Amino acid sequence: MPRLETTMRSNITIRKVFGQVTCDELISALRDSYANPITGYWIWDLSEADTKQITSADAQRIAEFASANTHIKPKGRTAIIAPTDLTFGMSRVFEIYSELASVPVQVKICRTQSEALGWMDEQEVRQVGR
């Protein structure tokens, strides 16, 4: 089981994943995230995660789980930090499956935390400016 570290930055929940991770463990982490108070903005940091066991079918299962739970988190943004090519590619597959499953949350795959935070802050600035 991978180790998860959760921190908050303004209205953004950051979950950093450490160690080898499987599809079932990621779904379990999502289930846990949905069960606890959540923000509309999430960053999943996979920079310290070993995602070699995740397949495209797993990415589809994770997207389907997210879609089935849209009533819990009906809108917002989720960024995935994926610095390695393998993790980035599989995260992009997840992003595409999320779109196909009509997950209402915007998903963006980023290489760095600063890129992810910039994308989140861009939305926050737009919300404040309204």
Side-chain angles (χ1 to χ4, degrees):
M1 181 86 167
R3 181 171 62 92
L4 292 173
E5 192 175 273
T6 304
T7 56
M8 298 291 293
R9 180 185 182 273
S10 180
N11 65 340
I12 302 168
T13 303
I14 303 170
R15 296 210 75 185
K16 187 165 188 167
V17 181
F18 296 85
Q20 187 171 352
V21 65
T22 65
C23 175
D24 288 338
E25 290 166 339
L26 285 175
I27 288 174
S28 179
L30 273 173
R31 185 177 290 112
D32 176 62
S33 297
Y34 289 144
N36 294 305
I38 60 172
T39 63
Y41 304 99
W42 287 72
I43 295 176
W44 286 87
D45 184 348
L46 302 179
S47 61
E48 299 293 328
D50 176 353
T51 61
K52 290 180 187 125
Q53 292 186 358
I54 304 296
T55 66
S56 61
D58 292 335
Q60 183 176 10
R61 277 185 57 212
I62 295 165
E64 288 169 353
F65 176 82
S67 178
N69 288 279
T70 58
H71 63 283
I72 298 170
K73 185 181 179 214
K75 59 183 176 178
R77 281 187 167 195
T78 296
I80 299 172
I81 300 171
T84 67
D85 290 343
L86 176 66
T87 302
F88 188 89
M90 204 49 61
S91 297
R92 283 282 297 131
V93 171
F94 165 77
E95 181 181 23
I96 292 165
Y97 279 126
S98 294
E99 290 173 15
L100 292 173
S102 299
V103 175
V105 175
Q106 292 178 321
V107 177
K108 180 171 175 72
I109 313 307
C110 305
R111 292 284 187 169
T112 65
Q113 186 178 63
S114 61
E115 180 185 358
L117 288 170
W119 184 63
M120 293 291 176
D121 288 341
E122 167 190 305
Q123 177 69 16
E124 194 172 303
V125 167
R126 270 194 246 134
Q127 293 292 340
V128 172
R130 287 185 180 180

mmCIF file of all heavy atoms in Angstrom, residues 50-85:
data_model
loop_
_atom_site.group_PDB
_atom_site.id
_atom_site.type_symbol
_atom_site.label_atom_id
_atom_site.label_comp_id
_atom_site.label_asym_id
_atom_site.label_seq_id
_atom_site.Cartn_x
_atom_site.Cartn_y
_atom_site.Cartn_z
ATOM 1 N N ASP A 50 5.427 5.019 -7.875
ATOM 2 C CA ASP A 50 5.828 4.049 -8.892
ATOM 3 C C ASP A 50 4.533 3.544 -9.529
ATOM 4 O O ASP A 50 3.774 2.798 -8.918
ATOM 5 C CB ASP A 50 6.597 2.908 -8.230
ATOM 6 C CG ASP A 50 6.987 1.794 -9.198
ATOM 7 O OD1 ASP A 50 6.548 1.828 -10.375
ATOM 8 O OD2 ASP A 50 7.715 0.884 -8.773
ATOM 9 N N THR A 51 4.280 3.978 -10.750
ATOM 10 C CA THR A 51 3.018 3.658 -11.432
ATOM 11 C C THR A 51 3.182 2.595 -12.512
ATOM 12 O O THR A 51 2.309 2.451 -13.366
ATOM 13 C CB THR A 51 2.426 4.935 -12.060
ATOM 14 O OG1 THR A 51 3.364 5.447 -13.014
ATOM 15 C CG2 THR A 51 2.127 5.990 -11.015
ATOM 16 N N LYS A 52 4.266 1.828 -12.464
ATOM 17 C CA LYS A 52 4.539 0.847 -13.520
ATOM 18 C C LYS A 52 3.456 -0.211 -13.666
ATOM 19 O O LYS A 52 3.307 -0.792 -14.739
ATOM 20 C CB LYS A 52 5.887 0.166 -13.263
ATOM 21 C CG LYS A 52 7.068 1.079 -13.463
ATOM 22 C CD LYS A 52 8.371 0.360 -13.193
ATOM 23 C CE LYS A 52 9.507 1.345 -13.237
ATOM 24 N NZ LYS A 52 10.300 1.317 -12.027
ATOM 25 N N GLN A 53 2.695 -0.465 -12.609
ATOM 26 C CA GLN A 53 1.657 -1.505 -12.684
ATOM 27 C C GLN A 53 0.331 -0.991 -13.250
ATOM 28 O O GLN A 53 -0.572 -1.769 -13.516
ATOM 29 C CB GLN A 53 1.415 -2.100 -11.296
ATOM 30 C CG GLN A 53 2.576 -2.899 -10.778
ATOM 31 C CD GLN A 53 2.230 -3.596 -9.475
ATOM 32 O OE1 GLN A 53 1.146 -3.458 -8.936
ATOM 33 N NE2 GLN A 53 3.173 -4.365 -8.967
ATOM 34 N N ILE A 54 0.201 0.314 -13.457
ATOM 35 C CA ILE A 54 -1.048 0.887 -13.949
ATOM 36 C C ILE A 54 -1.130 0.711 -15.467
ATOM 37 O O ILE A 54 -0.207 1.050 -16.196
ATOM 38 C CB ILE A 54 -1.154 2.387 -13.586
ATOM 39 C CG1 ILE A 54 -1.007 2.597 -12.074
ATOM 40 C CG2 ILE A 54 -2.452 2.989 -14.106
ATOM 41 C CD1 ILE A 54 -2.095 1.975 -11.234
ATOM 42 N N THR A 55 -2.250 0.170 -15.925
ATOM 43 C CA THR A 55 -2.467 -0.061 -17.357
ATOM 44 C C THR A 55 -3.527 0.913 -17.874
ATOM 45 O O THR A 55 -4.197 1.600 -17.077
ATOM 46 C CB THR A 55 -2.949 -1.495 -17.604
ATOM 47 O OG1 THR A 55 -4.261 -1.638 -17.017
ATOM 48 C CG2 THR A 55 -1.996 -2.522 -17.020
ATOM 49 N N SER A 56 -3.727 0.931 -19.181
ATOM 50 C CA SER A 56 -4.777 1.791 -19.731
ATOM 51 C C SER A 56 -6.159 1.320 -19.258
ATOM 52 O O SER A 56 -7.050 2.143 -19.037
ATOM 53 C CB SER A 56 -4.696 1.857 -21.248
ATOM 54 O OG SER A 56 -4.866 0.590 -21.809
ATOM 55 N N ALA A 57 -6.339 0.027 -19.084
ATOM 56 C CA ALA A 57 -7.607 -0.481 -18.543
ATOM 57 C C ALA A 57 -7.811 0.015 -17.110
ATOM 58 O O ALA A 57 -8.944 0.334 -16.712
ATOM 59 C CB ALA A 57 -7.640 -2.008 -18.582
ATOM 60 N N ASP A 58 -6.725 0.099 -16.346
ATOM 61 C CA ASP A 58 -6.804 0.643 -14.983
ATOM 62 C C ASP A 58 -7.190 2.111 -15.016
ATOM 63 O O ASP A 58 -8.017 2.573 -14.213
ATOM 64 C CB ASP A 58 -5.459 0.492 -14.261
ATOM 65 C CG ASP A 58 -5.097 -0.945 -13.961
ATOM 66 O OD1 ASP A 58 -6.016 -1.796 -13.856
ATOM 67 O OD2 ASP A 58 -3.890 -1.228 -13.835
ATOM 68 N N ALA A 59 -6.603 2.868 -15.946
ATOM 69 C CA ALA A 59 -6.933 4.294 -16.073
ATOM 70 C C ALA A 59 -8.420 4.453 -16.380
ATOM 71 O O ALA A 59 -9.078 5.353 -15.853
ATOM 72 C CB ALA A 59 -6.076 4.935 -17.162
ATOM 73 N N GLN A 60 -8.955 3.558 -17.197
ATOM 74 C CA GLN A 60 -10.379 3.599 -17.511
ATOM 75 C C GLN A 60 -11.210 3.284 -16.266
ATOM 76 O O GLN A 60 -12.214 3.949 -16.004
ATOM 77 C CB GLN A 60 -10.710 2.613 -18.626
ATOM 78 C CG GLN A 60 -12.165 2.664 -19.041
ATOM 79 C CD GLN A 60 -12.465 1.750 -20.222
ATOM 80 O OE1 GLN A 60 -11.651 0.938 -20.633
ATOM 81 N NE2 GLN A 60 -13.658 1.894 -20.773
ATOM 82 N N ARG A 61 -10.806 2.286 -15.500
ATOM 83 C CA ARG A 61 -11.532 1.942 -14.257
ATOM 84 C C ARG A 61 -11.553 3.109 -13.284
ATOM 85 O O ARG A 61 -12.574 3.384 -12.646
ATOM 86 C CB ARG A 61 -10.877 0.740 -13.556
ATOM 87 C CG ARG A 61 -11.291 -0.591 -14.097
ATOM 88 C CD ARG A 61 -10.715 -1.744 -13.283
ATOM 89 N NE ARG A 61 -11.100 -1.669 -11.882
ATOM 90 C CZ ARG A 61 -10.344 -2.099 -10.866
ATOM 91 N NH1 ARG A 61 -9.159 -2.638 -11.085
ATOM 92 N NH2 ARG A 61 -10.767 -2.009 -9.636
ATOM 93 N N ILE A 62 -10.425 3.807 -13.160
ATOM 94 C CA ILE A 62 -10.341 4.952 -12.240
ATOM 95 C C ILE A 62 -11.268 6.067 -12.724
ATOM 96 O O ILE A 62 -11.990 6.677 -11.931
ATOM 97 C CB ILE A 62 -8.882 5.428 -12.102
ATOM 98 C CG1 ILE A 62 -8.033 4.328 -11.442
ATOM 99 C CG2 ILE A 62 -8.809 6.722 -11.291
ATOM 100 C CD1 ILE A 62 -6.535 4.526 -11.567
ATOM 101 N N ALA A 63 -11.271 6.328 -14.031
ATOM 102 C CA ALA A 63 -12.156 7.353 -14.589
ATOM 103 C C ALA A 63 -13.625 6.970 -14.379
ATOM 104 O O ALA A 63 -14.452 7.830 -14.049
ATOM 105 C CB ALA A 63 -11.862 7.553 -16.069
ATOM 106 N N GLU A 64 -13.950 5.706 -14.549
ATOM 107 C CA GLU A 64 -15.323 5.252 -14.335
ATOM 108 C C GLU A 64 -15.731 5.401 -12.874
ATOM 109 O O GLU A 64 -16.868 5.763 -12.566
ATOM 110 C CB GLU A 64 -15.487 3.815 -14.807
ATOM 111 C CG GLU A 64 -15.464 3.687 -16.320
ATOM 112 C CD GLU A 64 -15.356 2.257 -16.828
ATOM 113 O OE1 GLU A 64 -15.170 1.327 -16.011
ATOM 114 O OE2 GLU A 64 -15.456 2.083 -18.059
ATOM 115 N N PHE A 65 -14.796 5.140 -11.952
ATOM 116 C CA PHE A 65 -15.078 5.344 -10.530
ATOM 117 C C PHE A 65 -15.355 6.823 -10.269
ATOM 118 O O PHE A 65 -16.310 7.170 -9.574
ATOM 119 C CB PHE A 65 -13.910 4.853 -9.665
ATOM 120 C CG PHE A 65 -14.122 5.123 -8.210
ATOM 121 C CD1 PHE A 65 -14.890 4.265 -7.439
ATOM 122 C CD2 PHE A 65 -13.570 6.242 -7.610
ATOM 123 C CE1 PHE A 65 -15.103 4.520 -6.087
ATOM 124 C CE2 PHE A 65 -13.772 6.506 -6.265
ATOM 125 C CZ PHE A 65 -14.552 5.645 -5.501
ATOM 126 N N ALA A 66 -14.522 7.693 -10.824
ATOM 127 C CA ALA A 66 -14.723 9.132 -10.647
ATOM 128 C C ALA A 66 -16.076 9.556 -11.218
ATOM 129 O O ALA A 66 -16.808 10.338 -10.605
ATOM 130 C CB ALA A 66 -13.586 9.913 -11.296
ATOM 131 N N SER A 67 -16.420 9.030 -12.382
ATOM 132 C CA SER A 67 -17.696 9.361 -13.013
ATOM 133 C C SER A 67 -18.873 8.912 -12.149
ATOM 134 O O SER A 67 -19.858 9.640 -12.008
ATOM 135 C CB SER A 67 -17.782 8.707 -14.395
ATOM 136 O OG SER A 67 -19.019 8.982 -14.995
ATOM 137 N N ALA A 68 -18.767 7.733 -11.565
ATOM 138 C CA ALA A 68 -19.846 7.200 -10.729
ATOM 139 C C ALA A 68 -20.014 7.986 -9.434
ATOM 140 O O ALA A 68 -21.046 7.872 -8.770
ATOM 141 C CB ALA A 68 -19.584 5.727 -10.406
ATOM 142 N N ASN A 69 -19.009 8.783 -9.077
ATOM 143 C CA ASN A 69 -19.070 9.547 -7.832
ATOM 144 C C ASN A 69 -19.150 11.046 -8.068
ATOM 145 O O ASN A 69 -18.827 11.834 -7.174
ATOM 146 C CB ASN A 69 -17.859 9.199 -6.968
ATOM 147 C CG ASN A 69 -17.977 7.806 -6.395
ATOM 148 O OD1 ASN A 69 -18.653 7.593 -5.399
ATOM 149 N ND2 ASN A 69 -17.364 6.841 -7.051
ATOM 150 N N THR A 70 -19.595 11.464 -9.238
ATOM 151 C CA THR A 70 -19.671 12.894 -9.534
ATOM 152 C C THR A 70 -20.668 13.619 -8.643
ATOM 153 O O THR A 70 -20.574 14.834 -8.486
ATOM 154 C CB THR A 70 -20.028 13.154 -11.011
ATOM 155 O OG1 THR A 70 -21.264 12.520 -11.301
ATOM 156 C CG2 THR A 70 -18.942 12.656 -11.935
ATOM 157 N N HIS A 71 -21.591 12.901 -8.046
ATOM 158 C CA HIS A 71 -22.538 13.540 -7.131
ATOM 159 C C HIS A 71 -21.827 14.045 -5.872
ATOM 160 O O HIS A 71 -22.306 14.957 -5.220
ATOM 161 C CB HIS A 71 -23.663 12.564 -6.759
ATOM 162 C CG HIS A 71 -23.175 11.349 -6.027
ATOM 163 N ND1 HIS A 71 -22.543 10.305 -6.679
ATOM 164 C CD2 HIS A 71 -23.197 11.032 -4.717
ATOM 165 C CE1 HIS A 71 -22.212 9.381 -5.781
ATOM 166 N NE2 HIS A 71 -22.605 9.800 -4.593
ATOM 167 N N ILE A 72 -20.671 13.473 -5.545
ATOM 168 C CA ILE A 72 -19.916 13.888 -4.366
ATOM 169 C C ILE A 72 -19.079 15.126 -4.669
ATOM 170 O O ILE A 72 -18.975 16.036 -3.866
ATOM 171 C CB ILE A 72 -19.009 12.738 -3.873
ATOM 172 C CG1 ILE A 72 -19.874 11.546 -3.461
ATOM 173 C CG2 ILE A 72 -18.134 13.201 -2.709
ATOM 174 C CD1 ILE A 72 -19.087 10.281 -3.197
ATOM 175 N N LYS A 73 -18.493 15.142 -5.836
ATOM 176 C CA LYS A 73 -17.651 16.261 -6.259
ATOM 177 C C LYS A 73 -18.109 16.662 -7.658
ATOM 178 O O LYS A 73 -17.503 16.294 -8.655
ATOM 179 C CB LYS A 73 -16.177 15.836 -6.260
ATOM 180 C CG LYS A 73 -15.218 16.962 -6.560
ATOM 181 C CD LYS A 73 -13.786 16.461 -6.561
ATOM 182 C CE LYS A 73 -12.881 17.619 -6.880
ATOM 183 N NZ LYS A 73 -11.721 17.234 -7.643
ATOM 184 N N PRO A 74 -19.212 17.422 -7.743
ATOM 185 C CA PRO A 74 -19.828 17.659 -9.044
ATOM 186 C C PRO A 74 -19.088 18.616 -9.972
ATOM 187 O O PRO A 74 -19.388 18.671 -11.154
ATOM 188 C CB PRO A 74 -21.195 18.222 -8.670
ATOM 189 C CG PRO A 74 -20.996 18.839 -7.333
ATOM 190 C CD PRO A 74 -19.956 18.006 -6.655
ATOM 191 N N LYS A 75 -18.164 19.395 -9.473
ATOM 192 C CA LYS A 75 -17.410 20.293 -10.344
ATOM 193 C C LYS A 75 -16.096 20.657 -9.685
ATOM 194 O O LYS A 75 -15.874 20.362 -8.522
ATOM 195 C CB LYS A 75 -18.217 21.542 -10.676
ATOM 196 C CG LYS A 75 -18.633 22.339 -9.462
ATOM 197 C CD LYS A 75 -19.487 23.510 -9.876
ATOM 198 C CE LYS A 75 -19.973 24.229 -8.618
ATOM 199 N NZ LYS A 75 -20.768 25.392 -8.926
ATOM 200 N N GLY A 76 -15.244 21.304 -10.431
ATOM 201 C CA GLY A 76 -13.956 21.715 -9.902
ATOM 202 C C GLY A 76 -12.844 21.391 -10.880
ATOM 203 O O GLY A 76 -13.082 21.216 -12.078
ATOM 204 N N ARG A 77 -11.645 21.276 -10.339
ATOM 205 C CA ARG A 77 -10.462 20.975 -11.148
ATOM 206 C C ARG A 77 -9.608 19.951 -10.417
ATOM 207 O O ARG A 77 -9.493 19.980 -9.192
ATOM 208 C CB ARG A 77 -9.611 22.228 -11.345
ATOM 209 C CG ARG A 77 -10.131 23.158 -12.389
ATOM 210 C CD ARG A 77 -9.154 24.281 -12.657
ATOM 211 N NE ARG A 77 -9.573 24.960 -13.878
ATOM 212 C CZ ARG A 77 -8.823 25.786 -14.560
ATOM 213 N NH1 ARG A 77 -7.606 26.065 -14.155
ATOM 214 N NH2 ARG A 77 -9.274 26.360 -15.652
ATOM 215 N N THR A 78 -8.995 19.077 -11.185
ATOM 216 C CA THR A 78 -8.035 18.118 -10.654
ATOM 217 C C THR A 78 -6.801 18.154 -11.538
ATOM 218 O O THR A 78 -6.905 17.980 -12.754
ATOM 219 C CB THR A 78 -8.615 16.687 -10.634
ATOM 220 O OG1 THR A 78 -9.728 16.653 -9.740
ATOM 221 C CG2 THR A 78 -7.569 15.677 -10.164
ATOM 222 N N ALA A 79 -5.656 18.394 -10.920
ATOM 223 C CA ALA A 79 -4.377 18.340 -11.630
ATOM 224 C C ALA A 79 -3.641 17.098 -11.159
ATOM 225 O O ALA A 79 -3.706 16.736 -9.985
ATOM 226 C CB ALA A 79 -3.543 19.589 -11.351
ATOM 227 N N ILE A 80 -2.961 16.462 -12.071
ATOM 228 C CA ILE A 80 -2.126 15.307 -11.742
ATOM 229 C C ILE A 80 -0.694 15.670 -12.096
ATOM 230 O O ILE A 80 -0.420 16.044 -13.241
ATOM 231 C CB ILE A 80 -2.575 14.054 -12.514
ATOM 232 C CG1 ILE A 80 -4.020 13.698 -12.144
ATOM 233 C CG2 ILE A 80 -1.619 12.884 -12.248
ATOM 234 C CD1 ILE A 80 -4.624 12.602 -12.985
ATOM 235 N N ILE A 81 0.180 15.597 -11.108
ATOM 236 C CA ILE A 81 1.595 15.856 -11.350
ATOM 237 C C ILE A 81 2.247 14.541 -11.744
ATOM 238 O O ILE A 81 2.259 13.586 -10.973
ATOM 239 C CB ILE A 81 2.285 16.460 -10.111
ATOM 240 C CG1 ILE A 81 1.613 17.781 -9.729
ATOM 241 C CG2 ILE A 81 3.779 16.652 -10.369
ATOM 242 C CD1 ILE A 81 2.085 18.346 -8.405
ATOM 243 N N ALA A 82 2.777 14.503 -12.955
ATOM 244 C CA ALA A 82 3.348 13.283 -13.531
ATOM 245 C C ALA A 82 4.647 13.639 -14.248
ATOM 246 O O ALA A 82 4.648 13.880 -15.455
ATOM 247 C CB ALA A 82 2.343 12.660 -14.486
ATOM 248 N N PRO A 83 5.767 13.670 -13.527
ATOM 249 C CA PRO A 83 7.021 14.116 -14.143
ATOM 250 C C PRO A 83 7.670 13.108 -15.090
ATOM 251 O O PRO A 83 8.366 13.504 -16.011
ATOM 252 C CB PRO A 83 7.922 14.416 -12.947
ATOM 253 C CG PRO A 83 7.391 13.571 -11.846
ATOM 254 C CD PRO A 83 5.913 13.444 -12.098
ATOM 255 N N THR A 84 7.405 11.812 -14.903
ATOM 256 C CA THR A 84 8.046 10.826 -15.781
ATOM 257 C C THR A 84 7.168 10.571 -16.999
ATOM 258 O O THR A 84 5.946 10.733 -16.952
ATOM 259 C CB THR A 84 8.294 9.486 -15.050
ATOM 260 O OG1 THR A 84 7.026 8.872 -14.761
ATOM 261 C CG2 THR A 84 9.098 9.681 -13.770
ATOM 262 N N ASP A 85 7.789 10.152 -18.082
ATOM 263 C CA ASP A 85 7.037 9.911 -19.321
ATOM 264 C C ASP A 85 5.970 8.841 -19.141
ATOM 265 O O ASP A 85 4.848 8.981 -19.639
ATOM 266 C CB ASP A 85 7.985 9.531 -20.456
ATOM 267 C CG ASP A 85 8.854 10.698 -20.909
ATOM 268 O OD1 ASP A 85 8.521 11.861 -20.590
ATOM 269 O OD2 ASP A 85 9.868 10.447 -21.581
#
